[in-house]
Amino acid sequence: MCDCSHQYTNRIISLLERLSLDDIYVRIIVSIARSENGCLSLRGLSRAVSMSPKNVKKYVTRLERLGLLRVEHPHEKLILIYLNYSIDWIRGFLSK
């Protein structure tokens, strides 16, 4: 029974991913959730979503204001982007 439930969960996630391929907000969240360390630099995220860092930063700022992302500045030129603790559970669904 658990295996069947897991299959349905995977199918739902796959469907949602296909439906939201053009939504940059979802692509950003999914990219961070699938990252190895649970965070991406601004440059790494830009590469993952195929968009310039300047444009990605605008979307990240919006998601941060909504409470979905948290941003850290460990160095002057480095920006690390994490999922907020409230949605970090998404990593469990998207990990492969």
Side-chain angles (χ1 to χ4, degrees), residues 57-76:
K57 190 171 183 178
K58 293 175 189 176
Y59 293 106
V60 166
T61 301
R62 172 80 171 133
L63 289 168
E64 184 181 24
R65 273 191 261 129
L66 291 171
L68 299 174
L69 299 180
R70 58 188 174 88
V71 177
E72 294 181 4
H73 301 272
H75 300 289
E76 182 180 321

Side-chain angles (χ1 to χ4, degrees), residues 20-88:
S20 62
L21 284 177
D22 291 332
D23 188 335
I24 186 65
Y25 293 108
V26 174
R27 286 178 29 210
I28 288 171
I29 290 172
V30 167
S31 296
I32 295 169
R34 286 192 169 153
S35 67
E36 187 175 320
N37 299 326
C39 74
L40 285 172
S41 67
L42 181 60
R43 283 182 180 255
L45 182 57
S46 298
R47 282 190 292 272
V49 298
S50 302
M51 189 179 282
S52 73
K54 183 179 177 181
N55 289 332
V56 170
K57 190 171 183 178
K58 293 175 189 176
Y59 293 106
V60 166
T61 301
R62 172 80 171 133
L63 289 168
E64 184 181 24
R65 273 191 261 129
L66 291 171
L68 299 174
L69 299 180
R70 58 188 174 88
V71 177
E72 294 181 4
H73 301 272
H75 300 289
E76 182 180 321
K77 294 184 179 182
L78 180 62
I79 297 173
L80 294 178
I81 305 159
Y82 299 84
L83 294 178
N84 200 348
Y85 301 112
S86 62
I87 65 165
D88 196 49

Side-chain angles (χ1 to χ4, degrees), residues 12-22 26 30 34 94 96:
I12 290 170
I13 291 170
S14 176
L15 173 65
L16 292 174
E17 285 178 336
R18 281 185 269 145
L19 290 173
S20 62
L21 284 177
D22 291 332
V26 174
V30 167
R34 286 192 169 153
L94 297 177
K96 290 186 175 182

